Amino acid sequence: MSRSSTTLAVMAFLVLALASPAHAEASALQRRHAMAKIGAPATPADFKHFSWVTPMAPKGGVIRLSGTGAFDSLNQHSIQGVVAPAVSLIDATLMTPSPDEPATAYGLIAEWVAYPDDFSFATFGLRAEARFADGSPITPEDIVYSLDEQKRASPAVAIYYRDVTAVEITGQREVTFRFARTGSRDLPYIVGLLTIIPRHWWQGKDLGGVARDLAKSTLEPPMGAGPYRIKTVDRGRSISYERITDWWGKDLPVNVGQYNFGELHVTMYRDDVPEFEALKTGDIDLKEEGSSKKWATGYVFPAVREGLVKRLELRTQTVASLQGFAFNLRRPKFADPRVRHAIALAYDFESANKSLFYGLYKRLDSYFDNSQLAARGLPTGRELELLEPLRDKVPADVFTTPFTSPQAVTANDLRRNLREAGRLLDAAGWKVVNGIRRHERTGEALSIEFLNYDTQFDRIVLPFKHNLARIGIELTIRINDATQYENRLKVYDFDMISDFFPQSHAPGTEQRERWGSEAASKPATSNRIGIANPAVDALIEEVVFARSPEDLIAATRALDRVLLWNHYMVLQWYNPTSWIAYWDKFGRPDRHPSQDPSVLTTWWWDQAAAAKLGATHAKR
């Protein structure tokens, strides 16, 4: 085809696209620089930078970080392998969430988004300057490819984007996502968070001549559109990222004052013990501490006393992350909720918080604790309306008894809890025979294998094991390395684990993948518990398609209540504060975002402080 005929073909395509009904309906709508699932975006369209950044923050320097375990893949979209930490830094999405607002996203690859009042579709206009790391432009074809391929590569992603029925190219730099149902503010938001991958790179071959496949693990550094590229990889041991100095997005208001480090280097350690020693010796620069014991007693080494290592406590306004001992309902012994309830009664949080956690944690009583989404008291109003049609499908306690996690403030409380646990087990057919719970029909012993990868957790599990033994249940602890642990979770090969779920002020489609029946039957989803409950499914849909903030609160509280009274997890605790320890060589903004500390994106390497620190080191 000649150059002139090619030009005519392109022009013809543009005329057809611009004249198409899809383009016309999107053109009539307001083009928005941001979208919020709750309220309106806090930052106007003409903003220069976010208020929580330092716009003139210097660029450069190296931050040395750590991880535990190992990795054998750089492809975060495949369910194969264990992915290297921080690999998402190489990627970019259509829109980027604000860490200072609950469920609000601003345009990144997309310059604008438009959607109708019924949320039946969402159209995104791509920035002309948006590029992949090789300089090639991001096209509408890349957007279509990104959605289709990620749904193919991951069952979890396929469930997450289940209601996205089509994505169409509706202009030269315009794509429209169409939805199966109307009324969900969540759907435009989640497609805006779609990671965009380069079609031309993934459809190519690696250096060995093998065709690339998004569904497979790989140690070949993928190409992205984000602010960093992978610099070096030592499989399982370390990975380095370097800042792309001419990144196409560096001067956008949404990125000003962010992505300041010139290089990020992550070293992997077997577990928390050598990792902590690396912080003490200065082999790593910063650590977000997850152990209350270490935070209370461990930070007394010389560098802390001399002021070289700083300790920072940052409170956020997020919904409490959900954490608990999670049962695998695919195991028949956990099918009866009375068994699960009995096991929960044997967990003594109060003693653990006093003797192990130094009183620094708070007990969870909800899947959405520390927020207005948490179920409290008895259901009323809209929440009760949602639950009434499900009355014969949910535990009776949902309507009659406010849920609280079992408490054992005194020894008498614990004895009372264990007596109640014994009564529940007896009623479920698990009788004590020579000190061991056995099923009266099959003779099977009630035993539990707790699977973990961190021996530091043993101090938490051992008292639980002791209490379970008092009611005739044997608990054993199985420690796998991090890779084996991840692989077993993907195929649900466990009895019980300690699981973790970050939560949001605006829950939505992700709840399907965590608690929905469809996810229970697919590998490598977040529904590791294996919940397959029609009542839960129905309430998740009410959450996803809530039409107002009030409806969302009512639906989430109803869902919370049903999940709680089915005793799918033994709720543990949450920490309302982020604990960060770092060598004093960094600068940071005057305030941190309300939803996340955002250390890697908003802090910077302070050359003067680093030089002073180096001189002090030399004198020691």
Side-chain angles (χ1 to χ4, degrees):
M1 184 181 289
S2 67
R3 178 177 297 179
S4 60
S5 61
T6 300
T7 302
L8 288 172
V10 171
M11 291 177 63
F13 164 77
L14 293 177
V15 169
L16 288 172
L18 295 174
S20 69
H23 178 80
E25 62 183 341
S27 298
L29 299 172
Q30 176 186 356
R31 293 183 173 184
R32 307 166 189 265
H33 74 293
M35 56 182 168
K37 288 169 63 178
I38 301 175
T43 304
D46 60 350
F47 76 108
K48 304 302 181 185
H49 58 79
F50 288 121
S51 62
W52 37 268
V53 302
T54 300
M56 300 306 293
K59 309 293 185 183
V62 178
I63 182 170
R64 298 169 302 167
L65 305 167
S66 60
T68 55
F71 65 88
D72 59 6
S73 179
L74 304 178
N75 178 13
Q76 65 172 328
H77 305 291
S78 171
I79 66 173
Q80 295 182 357
V82 177
V83 182
V87 76
S88 61
L89 287 168
I90 71 171
D91 286 318
T93 50
L94 287 170
M95 306 190 81
T96 184
S98 167
D100 197 45
E101 301 169 66
T104 300
Y106 292 79
L108 182 55
I109 291 174
E111 186 174 10
W112 53 265
V113 60
Y115 46 82
D117 291 341
D118 67 357
F119 305 107
S120 57
F121 67 87
T123 299
F124 295 83
L126 308 185
R127 296 186 190 274
E129 65 269 34
R131 294 286 189 273
F132 291 111
D134 65 352
S136 59
I138 299 174
T139 67
E141 288 81 4
D142 291 308
I143 313 304
V144 175
Y145 180 80
S146 295
L147 179 66
D148 291 344
E149 277 295 283
Q150 289 176 52
K151 289 173 72 173
R152 179 186 69 84
S154 168
V157 173
I159 293 168
Y160 191 60
Y161 289 114
R162 186 182 72 194
D163 284 330
V164 183
T165 57
V167 53
E168 306 166 2
I169 298 172
T170 49
Q172 184 181 13
R173 291 194 300 272
E174 185 179 292
V175 291
T176 296
F177 295 84
R178 298 202 174 274
F179 308 132
R181 292 175 57 184
T182 61
S184 173
R185 185 183 291 267
D186 191 51
L187 291 172
Y189 185 83
I190 66 170
V191 294
L193 301 186
L194 178 70
T195 298
I196 306 307
I197 59 176
R199 182 180 64 156
H200 68 282
W201 192 88
W202 281 102
Q203 288 183 336
K205 296 181 179 180
D206 63 20
L207 294 177
V210 178
R212 299 185 178 104
D213 186 346
L214 194 72
K216 295 182 179 179
S217 63
T218 180
L219 283 169
E220 179 188 21
M223 180 185 296
Y228 288 88
R229 63 166 64 93
I230 295 173
K231 181 180 180 181
T232 61
V233 178
D234 184 357
R235 176 178 178 170
R237 295 183 177 88
S238 67
I239 184 169
S240 291
Y241 302 89
E242 62 180 353
R243 181 175 173 271
I244 300 174
T245 56
D246 60 349
W247 180 45
W248 64 270
K250 66 182 177 64
D251 295 322
L252 294 177
V254 75
N255 295 317
V256 169
Q258 299 189 73
Y259 307 111
N260 303 313
F261 293 112
E263 184 175 329
L264 296 93
H265 183 79
V266 185
T267 300
M268 307 301 292
Y269 295 91
R270 178 177 53 84
D271 54 39
D272 184 71
V273 175
E275 181 187 35
F276 188 53
E277 292 302 315
L279 177 69
K280 290 180 180 180
T281 58
D283 290 335
I284 61 174
D285 296 323
L286 181 146
K287 184 178 187 297
E288 185 166 357
E289 185 56 68
S291 167
S292 57
K293 179 181 180 181
K294 275 196 174 66
W295 193 250
T297 66
Y299 286 82
V300 293
F301 51 92
V304 173
R305 292 196 296 268
E306 296 168 22
L308 305 179
V309 169
K310 302 292 187 182
R311 298 206 309 161
L312 192 61
E313 297 187 358
L314 299 177
R315 293 187 72 90
T316 59
Q317 299 171 19
T318 55
V319 180
S321 292
L322 174 63
Q323 182 173 313
F325 295 106
F327 302 104
N328 184 357
L329 302 189
R330 301 168 187 85
R331 302 284 202 256
K333 59 191 169 188
F334 298 129
D336 192 320
R338 292 173 294 186
V339 173
R340 305 193 296 267
H341 187 189
I343 294 170
L345 285 163
Y347 178 60
D348 182 358
F349 167 76
E350 284 72 25
S351 292
N353 198 33
K354 181 179 179 180
S355 62
L356 300 177
F357 306 148
Y358 298 86
L360 295 175
Y361 292 150
K362 294 186 177 181
R363 183 71 189 271
L364 287 166
D365 286 312
S366 165
Y367 279 52
F368 304 90
D369 221 325
N370 197 40
S371 78
Q372 62 181 345
L373 302 171
R376 294 289 185 260
L378 295 177
T380 59
R382 178 59 178 157
E383 183 187 354
L384 184 58
E385 289 178 15
L386 294 173
L387 288 168
E388 278 292 357
L390 306 172
R391 187 177 281 271
D392 62 342
K393 298 182 178 66
V394 302
D397 289 323
V398 164
F399 298 93
T400 63
T401 311
F403 182 90
T404 57
S405 292
Q407 294 186 348
V409 177
T410 68
N412 283 336
D413 292 336
L414 179 59
R415 284 192 288 270
R416 183 170 57 251
N417 288 344
L418 294 180
R419 283 196 299 271
E420 175 62 12
R423 187 191 68 78
L424 288 168
L425 291 169
D426 286 340
W430 295 91
K431 308 291 187 178
V432 175
V433 179
N434 296 325
I436 298 173
R437 289 279 170 183
R438 294 188 180 275
H439 198 276
E440 60 185 355
R441 181 171 52 83
T442 66
E444 175 192 2
L446 183 52
S447 61
I448 303 170
E449 180 183 86
F450 176 74
L451 182 67
N452 203 4
Y453 61 91
D454 184 1
T455 57
Q456 300 297 303
F457 211 75
D458 287 1
R459 69 191 185 96
I460 297 168
V461 180
L462 287 173
F464 192 20
K465 171 186 171 78
H466 173 74
N467 289 342
L468 288 171
R470 292 172 63 181
I471 56 174
I473 299 174
E474 180 187 20
L475 184 142
T476 58
I477 301 172
R478 173 64 61 88
I479 301 296
N480 282 172
D481 65 45
T483 301
Q484 290 174 322
Y485 177 81
E486 290 289 334
N487 289 333
R488 286 186 64 174
L489 259 57
K490 289 175 182 178
V491 295
Y492 314 120
D493 180 19
F494 65 89
D495 281 351
M496 189 169 72
I497 57 173
S498 182
D499 216 344
F500 180 85
F501 302 90
Q503 293 287 32
S504 161
H505 285 287
T509 311
E510 79 286 345
Q511 302 298 311
R512 288 175 177 163
E513 198 255 332
R514 293 178 178 181
W515 330 116
S517 298
E518 183 181 0
S521 62
K522 303 289 179 63
T525 72
S526 297
N527 191 353
R528 289 173 284 271
I529 297 172
I531 300 171
N533 184 327
V536 171
D537 293 338
L539 292 171
I540 289 173
E541 295 309 296
E542 294 291 346
V543 170
V544 172
F545 290 96
R547 292 184 174 273
S548 69
E550 293 76 20
D551 280 349
L552 178 63
I553 292 170
T556 306
R557 288 177 177 175
L559 173 63
D560 185 32
R561 205 177 295 275
V562 172
L563 291 170
L564 289 167
W565 278 113
N566 274 286
H567 303 288
Y568 293 131
M569 297 179 71
V570 181
L571 301 188
Q572 294 174 348
W573 57 82
Y574 72 97
N575 183 3
T577 304
S578 293
W579 300 326
I580 300 169
Y582 63 97
W583 285 84
D584 190 15
K585 60 174 73 173
F586 304 112
R588 58 189 180 90
D590 292 334
R591 78 173 183 92
H592 66 88
S594 64
Q595 306 298 305
D596 187 277
S598 300
V599 171
L600 294 186
T601 53
T602 64
W603 289 27
W604 62 89
W605 186 72
D606 186 324
Q607 186 173 5
K612 181 179 179 181
L613 186 66
T616 304
H617 259 304
K619 295 176 181 178
R620 294 178 70 199

